[in-house]
Amino acid sequence: MPILDIRGLKAYYITRKYGHASRVRAVDGVSFQVKKDEIYGIAGESGCGKSTLLKAVSGLIKPPLQVLEGEVVYDFEDQKLSILSLREDRQRRRIRGVRISLIPQGSMSVLNPVRRIRESFRDIIDAHLGTVDEARFNDIVRTHLDALGLDWSVMHAFPHQLSGGMRQRITIALATILKPDIVFADEPTTALDVVVQRGVIQLIKKIKREQMNTVIMVTHDLAVHANLCDRLAIMYAGKMVEEADVDALFSNPRHPYTIVLLKSLPRLGDRSVRTSAPGAPPSLVNVPSGCRFHPRCPEAMERCRSEDPELVEVEKGHRVACLLEEGSR
């Protein structure tokens, strides 16, 4: 059963200057489901709407971001709710941290540079569990850090005294201290070297295995998705163009954009020149008519200029939004 059901979600950045409204269609009609106890990946080029999708789904909606249409429904077994129907920030705060949690992009945007790590843990625990005594606080945090393989000494450090990899591990520990049902991870391995990336990926796997939670991973790094995720969705220009099990998507990509993405990846022992899609992603203020990928697509037809394909199932568990797949339905 899905723990998260997203239907027809439209989230735009709307700004007004000199009497003129500008709409950035960051998320434009996205629908998908996330199963309980899986790692669901979302990939795509920078600027395709991945991070905005996480903000909308987790209820972090602040102007100029607005949700115009759609539903985001969580099913926690003992509680079912539509997070977009919670109008007050106070109601949404009760869900965040306990039911859902976010590992944001960049640890230094989370950790206060003039406060010790201990104070960051104290803020989260006091906000959701109420003010707890020192003994209970130490017991909760020490148990969590031990489970993640982190030394207690980090509690007394300032963020600048820790390496980038250690700061990222602390950020993950903060996001999972209350054992949320769903963890959203927004580019958790960005700006880390490959050795540290491996450690962060292993830490996320360990948390998921021990806490039995669901993870939604957003990153443009397909290698991270291949090593971590169960299912993977590909986004382009605010829309989802393909979704499948990771093995199926890597072995048999169906959408031209996904095929181009995979062809651009380097491979061990292959010294041939890698190819990529010509041009650049479109502006989300003025998106192309029809299929948004058609100006760069090597398989584009005349119909692609005017018809916007729907995301439909072409094989069991494999959905594609492409007019080339009409005969497979």
Side-chain angles (χ1 to χ4, degrees), residues 27-314:
V27 178
D28 201 5
V30 171
S31 300
F32 65 96
Q33 294 181 334
V34 179
K35 302 172 186 175
K36 183 176 174 59
D37 196 31
E38 76 169 338
I39 302 180
Y40 186 91
I42 302 173
E45 291 174 281
S46 297
C48 70
K50 304 186 301 296
S51 296
T52 302
L53 176 60
L54 280 199
K55 289 179 182 179
V57 169
S58 58
L60 293 170
I61 305 162
K62 296 181 179 180
L65 179 62
Q66 296 183 31
V67 174
L68 304 184
E69 294 180 18
E71 283 188 280
V72 178
V73 179
Y74 290 91
D75 188 350
F76 298 119
E77 294 184 357
D78 63 327
Q79 182 183 24
K80 189 171 184 178
L81 61 89
S82 172
I83 196 167
L84 298 181
S85 67
L86 304 179
R87 298 301 179 186
E88 297 182 18
D89 285 341
R90 183 174 56 184
Q91 292 177 316
R92 292 176 181 174
R93 285 183 63 186
R94 292 174 184 170
I95 304 300
R96 299 192 200 109
V98 180
R99 290 297 199 178
I100 63 176
S101 186
L102 174 66
I103 303 171
Q105 184 175 353
S107 56
M108 287 305 286
S109 63
V110 178
L111 304 174
N112 191 323
V114 298
R115 301 179 72 201
R116 298 183 189 274
I117 300 299
R118 180 186 186 86
E119 299 306 314
S120 296
F121 279 97
R122 171 60 78 175
D123 289 343
I124 289 178
I125 290 176
D126 286 354
H128 294 284
L129 301 183
T131 302
V132 301
D133 60 57
E134 196 69 12
R136 188 185 175 202
F137 170 79
N138 289 339
D139 181 60
I140 292 172
V141 179
R142 190 183 293 274
T143 300
H144 188 55
L145 293 182
D146 288 346
L148 302 186
L150 298 175
D151 193 86
W152 178 256
S153 62
V154 300
M155 294 286 285
H156 308 293
F158 289 98
H160 71 272
Q161 295 175 314
L162 303 175
S163 66
M166 183 57 71
R167 285 198 301 268
Q168 192 63 29
R169 290 180 175 89
I170 293 298
T171 301
I172 294 172
L174 285 167
T176 57
I177 182 72
L178 300 178
K179 299 181 180 180
D181 296 275
I182 298 181
V183 177
F184 297 98
D186 186 9
E187 302 277 6
T189 59
T190 296
L192 302 177
D193 62 63
V194 292
V195 176
V196 178
Q197 280 187 15
R198 181 173 179 268
V200 170
I201 290 171
Q202 289 177 335
L203 182 59
I204 293 174
K205 283 183 175 180
K206 178 181 176 68
I207 292 171
K208 190 259 183 188
R209 183 175 60 251
E210 294 181 354
Q211 296 188 357
M212 298 295 291
N213 45 29
T214 302
V215 178
I216 299 178
M217 167 71 67
V218 167
T219 178
H220 62 273
D221 192 336
L222 289 173
V224 172
H225 286 301
N227 281 279
L228 189 63
C229 298
D230 301 307
R231 288 193 299 147
L232 178 60
I234 305 295
M235 286 191 69
Y236 182 79
K239 285 184 172 289
M240 192 172 288
V241 297
E242 188 164 4
E243 179 195 59
D245 291 342
V246 167
D247 291 341
L249 191 138
F250 275 84
S251 62
N252 184 31
R254 304 287 289 264
H255 195 280
Y257 177 61
T258 309
I259 294 171
V260 168
L261 277 185
L262 296 180
K263 283 185 177 179
S264 68
L265 294 177
R267 301 180 185 277
L268 290 174
D270 186 353
R271 298 187 178 184
S272 61
V273 177
R274 314 311 297 175
T275 59
S276 62
S283 167
L284 295 181
V285 177
N286 298 304
V287 297
S289 60
C291 175
R292 296 185 179 183
F293 186 57
H294 86 259
R296 307 174 66 193
C297 181
E299 306 290 340
M301 306 177 290
E302 187 61 33
R303 292 174 56 199
C304 300
R305 301 177 184 275
S306 57
E307 297 183 32
D308 188 8
E310 296 182 4
L311 188 68
V312 296
E313 191 171 54
V314 295

